[in-house]
Amino acid sequence: IVEAAGSNPAPSTMREPCLFEAAVFEVIWELKARGYSDRTLQGYSKRLKMLAKHVNLDNPEAVKKFIAIQEGWSNVYKESVVNAYTHYVKKHNLSWVKPVYKRSQRLPNVPTTEQVNKIIARAGRKYALVFSVLRDTGLRPIELHRLTLKNIDLERGVIYPETAKSGYARALKLKASTLAMLKEYVVKNDFSLNDKMFPSTDVVSHVFMRIRNRLAKRLHEPELKKHRLYDLRHYFATMLYHKTKDILYVKEQLGHRRLENTLVYTHLIDFKDEEYIARVAKTVEE
């Protein structure tokens, strides 16, 4: 594969594998000092170590060719590898022309209310709460994992998450049934103000898929298998737009910085010939 990518560096210019590992560590350590999240750093580290197994990381042209010939990689994955390697290039004073991989546009999968409720009903008490919070608020799974009691007003049933992806701060309202489960969960676990209250994204996603797959088999509904944990966020956004017709309000509730990221939800429901515009009032005067 290295030869196919055009990388056949002279022995004097090729790092030893252990030195590549150290070079990758330097990149990750610098990004951590700059405030990158652990999940992002794990992704960068994984991709750089994968590249190091196949190609000389100090040869940008070889890396570029290696990425280009991977037929089994989607453009989204190639873009993520390019982004990780760009940090390596900058850290080690290399030079390359960053390749561009255009993502194919597709509408997100949005489960129906019935499908969401079926999955929640099949979950145990803890994960019924987890999935209900995601359904009610549209939180990103990583935002859920970061929640502590400091982020939650249990009296008013409002969550103030630490927004991921540099998004805007927001206040998110829980349904009364979800708030009741949350209060019971907090009392049972006796959390301190700074304790993380929910499992990691990977754990929650694994449980969601396990419940989803068992339910799909039991009910003979294979279409359930296409839905991911993140689709609860898509469900929240779609239903909120359906209720309010206010795309700016949906943008605010999702914590998006760019309206373009929110507009996709206007294409998921057919509003036919409705000839009015709605906005959510923020004050009594409005």
Side-chain angles (χ1 to χ4, degrees):
I1 295 175
V2 171
E3 291 176 357
S7 174
N8 190 17
S12 60
T13 62
M14 181 72 174
R15 295 180 195 256
E16 293 294 328
C18 60
L19 295 181
F20 273 128
E21 187 171 334
V24 169
F25 177 79
E26 290 176 19
V27 175
I28 301 304
W29 186 253
E30 179 176 294
L31 295 178
K32 183 174 181 63
R34 288 165 53 186
Y36 281 66
S37 71
D38 289 344
R39 188 171 180 81
T40 298
L41 296 178
Q42 288 169 5
Y44 285 162
S45 178
K46 181 179 179 180
R47 287 159 178 71
L48 289 173
K49 289 178 180 178
M50 176 274 298
L51 285 176
K53 291 180 180 179
H54 300 292
V55 67
N56 179 5
L57 291 183
D58 290 338
N59 187 335
E61 284 303 309
V63 172
K64 183 186 298 184
K65 291 178 182 178
F66 172 77
I67 295 172
I69 65 174
Q70 303 310 306
E71 296 181 357
W73 293 4
S74 68
N75 280 357
V76 172
Y77 185 70
K78 286 184 177 182
E79 181 184 54
S80 71
V81 174
V82 165
N83 290 338
Y85 183 66
T86 297
H87 289 292
Y88 183 94
V89 167
K90 292 178 180 178
K91 174 63 180 176
H92 296 290
N93 298 316
L94 303 173
S95 176
W96 82 324
V97 178
K98 182 179 177 181
V100 177
Y101 290 98
K102 188 174 181 180
R103 299 187 179 202
S104 56
Q105 296 294 321
R106 69 177 183 87
L107 294 176
N109 288 321
V110 180
T112 65
T113 299
E114 181 183 11
Q115 289 172 329
V116 171
N117 290 339
K118 282 180 180 178
I119 292 173
I120 292 175
R122 286 291 296 173
R125 195 78 178 162
K126 177 178 178 179
Y127 285 96
L129 168 62
V130 169
F131 301 151
S132 294
V133 171
L134 294 175
R135 175 202 63 194
D136 292 359
T137 64
L139 283 171
R140 299 177 179 92
I142 187 61
E143 293 172 336
L144 177 81
H145 174 59
R146 293 174 181 170
L147 286 181
T148 68
L149 277 179
K150 291 194 301 184
N151 304 119
I152 304 173
D153 183 339
L154 288 173
E155 292 302 314
R156 296 173 56 221
V158 178
I159 292 177
Y160 303 92
E162 294 181 9
T163 304
K165 296 188 177 181
S166 301
Y168 290 115
R170 59 212 201 268
L172 304 167
K173 183 74 174 176
L174 294 171
K175 293 183 178 179
S177 58
T178 305
L179 179 58
M181 286 194 291
L182 179 59
K183 288 180 177 179
E184 177 185 308
Y185 180 70
V186 169
V187 171
K188 180 179 179 180
N189 290 277
D190 192 26
F191 293 110
S192 69
L193 281 177
N194 295 310
D195 287 340
K196 288 184 177 178
M197 301 168 59
F198 298 105
S200 69
T201 298
D202 290 339
V203 171
V204 175
S205 181
H206 176 74
V207 172
F208 181 87
M209 288 189 293
R210 188 178 68 214
I211 294 172
R212 176 204 67 189
N213 291 345
R214 288 178 180 175
L215 195 59
K217 183 177 181 180
R218 181 179 179 182
L219 300 179
H220 304 290
E221 296 181 9
E223 63 273 14
L224 281 171
K225 291 186 177 182
K226 71 180 181 181
H227 296 303
R228 309 167 303 146
L229 179 68
Y230 206 89
D231 290 340
L232 293 176
R233 178 170 166 84
H234 298 319
Y235 171 83
F236 167 81
T238 303
M239 293 300 105
L240 187 61
Y241 182 66
H242 176 60
K243 293 174 183 177
T244 67
K245 317 292 191 301
D246 187 342
I247 195 63
L248 295 180
Y249 180 68
V250 176
K251 173 180 176 291
E252 176 185 288
Q253 292 291 285
L254 290 174
H256 284 166
R257 283 190 171 273
R258 300 176 57 199
L259 182 60
E260 291 83 355
N261 294 335
T262 318
L263 285 172
V264 64
Y265 298 106
T266 65
H267 301 298
L268 300 179
I269 298 176
D270 181 10
F271 291 110
K272 301 187 183 302
D273 297 321
E274 294 175 346
E275 296 180 353
Y276 63 89
I277 296 174
R279 292 288 180 267
V280 175
K282 306 289 180 59
T283 66
V284 174
E285 289 74 15
E286 288 181 2

